Amino acid sequence: MQKNVLMRNSDESVLKYRKSKIKRFLFGSYENSGFLVKLALYFVLIVISYIYLFPLITMLVTSFMSVDDLVNDSVHWIPTKLVLDNFKQAFEVMDFGNTISDTLQLSVLPSLCQVVICCFTGYAFSRYRFKGKAICWGLLILTFVLPSQATMIPTYLIFNEMDIIGTVWAFVLPAVLGQGFKSTIITLVFYLFFSQISTSQIEAASLDGCGHFKVFFYIALPCVGAAFIIGFLFSLVWYWNETYLTNMYISNSNIGHDHSMTTLLVKLTQFEAAYKLLNEGEGDNTLNEAIRMAGTVICITPLLTVYFILQKYFVQSVDMVGLKD
């Protein structure tokens, strides 16, 4: 009798153990996620990836298609032949050599200036106490909240009086003065990074005879390398994608000149008109979707290349400050 009870208890224990093991496998435990949780997570990630990657894949595939493939309903993902002439025509229409040079000037130079100035500003806000600090923070936030469209007419008039309309200075000068595109966000990034530096390090350096500039350059600055990557990438993307202010301050002001500064994105918005003008007088000057997609691929390739090179440092940096774009 006692033996049967022990066997029954043993069977129940084994059954409970197996149930708990299955439960941990499916739903997880405090330390590990279960199979169902991981399955749901991967499903959500695959769906999100598909939403983002589907337009890119469609654009890339279409850019290599011939006219026959475009009108053939049976051709969807794999072109019957790769047509590189689409990219050749897109390069010619966009005047790629001159345009990429202008784009780099109008995006990289302001981005570098903006990152440097925001670095100084973020350090000042994180390490110094001064009268009117709260007011300065409020004004800084106000410049971010206030849309650029509300100030573009006065800004245009000021730039016109300074005779910098149509030049790269229309973007560089505001960046140097801390009023570039969304400078507040980059200043906040540096503020968060500088705030993570131990106060004891700075105090120890000050006791050793380091002045404000030595503390900044030898103690604080080496600790915020990741912030420079975040700030530069964000700023580069914002300047690269800006078309409205570029048209207003740069491109439209030089109409009639031999060469008007412009960017790849501005050229893309004028792609159809430029294509027809370039092929005027030829038998068929109709712009097809493959050439338009080739132009789009050309526009986004430089940014994707920069991101793939710096993505490791970018992701690590975002995790450190908890910043999301």
Side-chain angles (χ1 to χ4, degrees):
M1 182 72 177
Q2 187 176 4
K3 184 177 181 182
N4 292 335
V5 172
L6 291 174
M7 291 180 63
R8 191 182 304 112
N9 291 336
S10 177
D11 293 339
E12 290 178 356
S13 299
V14 171
L15 185 61
K16 287 182 179 180
Y17 174 75
R18 289 177 179 176
K19 287 182 177 180
S20 63
K21 190 174 181 180
I22 294 173
K23 185 177 179 180
R24 285 198 305 269
F25 173 75
L26 293 177
F27 301 102
S29 59
Y30 182 77
E31 297 84 3
N32 299 314
S33 301
F35 174 77
L36 293 180
V37 176
K38 291 180 180 179
L39 183 64
L41 178 62
Y42 283 121
F43 176 76
V44 172
L45 292 175
I46 290 172
V47 171
I48 295 176
S49 301
Y50 175 79
I51 293 173
Y52 280 96
L53 292 177
F54 179 77
L56 293 176
I57 296 173
T58 302
M59 176 181 62
L60 185 62
V61 171
T62 305
S63 65
F64 287 100
M65 286 187 176
S66 62
V67 177
D68 294 335
D69 290 340
L70 291 174
V71 299
N72 190 349
D73 293 336
S74 63
V75 178
H76 294 287
W77 292 109
I78 302 177
T80 56
K81 61 179 179 179
L82 299 179
V83 181
L84 298 179
D85 189 62
N86 295 333
F87 287 90
K88 180 182 177 182
Q89 294 187 57
F91 274 110
E92 293 176 354
V93 171
M94 302 182 75
D95 189 16
F96 185 79
N98 292 322
T99 305
I100 190 63
S101 176
D102 293 343
T103 304
L104 292 176
Q105 291 182 57
L106 295 173
S107 58
V108 175
L109 289 179
S111 298
L112 292 174
C113 295
Q114 180 166 258
V115 168
V116 172
I117 297 303
C118 290
C119 176
F120 286 109
T121 308
Y123 181 77
F125 276 115
S126 66
R127 289 300 167 189
Y128 296 111
R129 295 181 179 179
F130 50 89
K131 290 183 178 180
K133 181 178 178 180
I135 297 176
C136 291
W137 259 122
L139 293 174
L140 192 67
I141 298 298
L142 181 63
T143 59
F144 173 71
V145 174
L146 195 66
S148 58
Q149 289 80 1
T151 58
M152 63 184 180
I153 299 301
T155 303
Y156 182 88
L157 295 176
I158 294 172
F159 288 172
N160 191 43
E161 290 181 2
M162 298 175 65
D163 198 25
I164 60 174
I165 291 293
T167 67
V168 69
W169 286 103
F171 282 168
V172 171
L173 185 60
V176 170
L177 298 177
Q179 290 300 308
F181 293 161
K182 303 179 183 178
S183 292
T184 304
I185 294 180
I186 303 177
T187 301
L188 181 60
V189 170
F190 279 104
Y191 173 83
L192 293 172
F193 269 88
F194 283 126
S195 299
Q196 293 176 1
I197 300 176
S198 174
T199 307
S200 59
Q201 286 183 278
I202 297 178
E203 291 176 350
S206 300
L207 291 175
D208 288 339
C210 293
H212 294 290
F213 286 100
K214 281 190 175 181
V215 169
F216 175 74
F217 285 106
Y218 292 104
I219 304 297
L221 205 59
C223 298
V224 295
F228 278 97
I229 296 175
I230 290 180
F232 178 74
L233 280 178
F234 280 5
S235 184
L236 180 66
V237 171
W238 293 329
Y239 277 102
W240 189 283
N241 291 333
E242 179 57 47
T243 57
Y244 190 83
L245 295 180
T246 302
N247 270 322
M248 184 174 183
Y249 296 150
I250 307 294
S251 301
N252 291 341
S253 60
N254 283 330
I255 294 176
H257 291 67
D258 293 337
H259 175 63
S260 172
M261 291 193 72
T262 187
T263 63
L264 289 174
L265 267 295
V266 172
K267 278 286 189 180
L268 187 63
T269 61
Q270 305 166 350
F271 195 85
E272 185 170 355
Y275 179 85
K276 290 182 179 180
L277 183 64
L278 182 67
N279 295 276
E280 188 176 5
E282 297 186 6
D284 185 15
N285 64 343
T286 303
L287 176 64
N288 61 59
E289 195 65 24
I291 301 175
R292 186 183 285 108
M293 290 298 102
T296 308
V297 171
I298 292 172
C299 289
I300 68 173
T301 298
L303 280 182
L304 290 177
T305 303
V306 172
Y307 178 74
F308 281 131
I309 294 174
L310 301 177
Q311 65 170 329
K312 176 182 177 181
Y313 308 99
F314 177 75
V315 173
Q316 290 176 352
S317 304
V318 171
D319 289 340
M320 288 176 62
V321 297
L323 179 67
K324 295 183 180 179
D325 185 18

